Amino acid sequence: MILNQVSVFLENRTGRLDEVLETLKVNDINILSLSLADTSDYGLLRMIVSDSEKCKASLKEAGFSAHLTPVIAVKLSHQVGKLQEVLAEIDKAGMNIEYMYAFSEGSEANVVIRPDKLDAGLAALEKNNIKVLSEKDVCRL
C-alpha cells in the first residue's frame, strides 16, 4: 500500500515551523511521523498525518508550499539487522532509496521509505512477506 506523505518547503527562519504546527492544530490534523531537514535557506518538512488531503489543503490555504508525495511504510520487529534485510530486498530489485525515516511503537519500528521506483519497491517488499502498512494501519498507531 502506498501512503501519501505531506511535504512542505519552509523558509529557514524563526517561527516558520510553529506556523505550520499551528495550522495543523487548528485544523485538527495529527502528525504521526515527521522528518525535518534543512539547508541555509530552506527546510523540508516531511510528515505522515491523520488526513493528508486536508493537511495539504490547509497548509496551502495558509500560504505554505505543500504537496503530497507517495511513500511506503513498513513494520519491522526490533531486531538487529532487520532494517538491513528489508533494504536488501529493495537493493536486489535494483532500486535506490531516496530517503527514509522511522518511528517506534513498543517492540516494533515503522519505517517510511521513498524508493526511486515506488511500485517496484512495493512489489519487492510484498513478495518477501514484509509487512507494508496502509494509511488506515498508520492512523491506528
Side-chain angles (χ1 to χ4, degrees), residues 7-57:
S7 300
V8 186
F9 290 95
L10 300 171
E11 299 89 1
N12 196 356
R13 66 174 171 85
T14 303
R16 198 64 173 149
L17 179 59
D18 184 59
E19 293 169 14
V20 168
L21 299 177
E22 179 67 20
T23 299
L24 299 185
K25 181 174 79 174
V26 299
N27 286 283
D28 197 32
I29 298 165
N30 190 29
I31 300 169
L32 305 168
S33 181
L34 67 82
S35 170
L36 178 62
D38 71 333
T39 68
S40 59
D41 298 324
Y42 69 92
L44 178 56
L45 177 62
R46 295 177 171 128
M47 301 179 289
I48 303 297
V49 297
S50 57
D51 187 333
S52 57
E53 294 287 344
K54 181 180 177 184
C55 182
K56 175 187 167 190

Side-chain angles (χ1 to χ4, degrees), residues 101-114:
Y101 52 99
F103 55 108
S104 187
E105 174 199 8
S107 64
E108 297 175 308
N110 303 288
V111 182
V112 177
I113 303 170
R114 173 68 182 180

Side-chain angles (χ1 to χ4, degrees), residues 36-93:
L36 178 62
D38 71 333
T39 68
S40 59
D41 298 324
Y42 69 92
L44 178 56
L45 177 62
R46 295 177 171 128
M47 301 179 289
I48 303 297
V49 297
S50 57
D51 187 333
S52 57
E53 294 287 344
K54 181 180 177 184
C55 182
K56 175 187 167 190
S58 299
L59 289 169
K60 284 190 171 274
E61 185 176 307
F64 292 98
S65 174
H67 65 277
L68 300 181
T69 306
V71 295
I72 301 168
V74 298
K75 182 176 285 298
L76 308 173
S77 60
H78 278 299
Q79 293 176 328
V80 173
K82 198 65 176 171
L83 178 60
Q84 186 277 329
E85 290 174 20
V86 170
L87 298 182
E89 295 308 323
I90 291 174
D91 186 49
K92 284 180 202 171

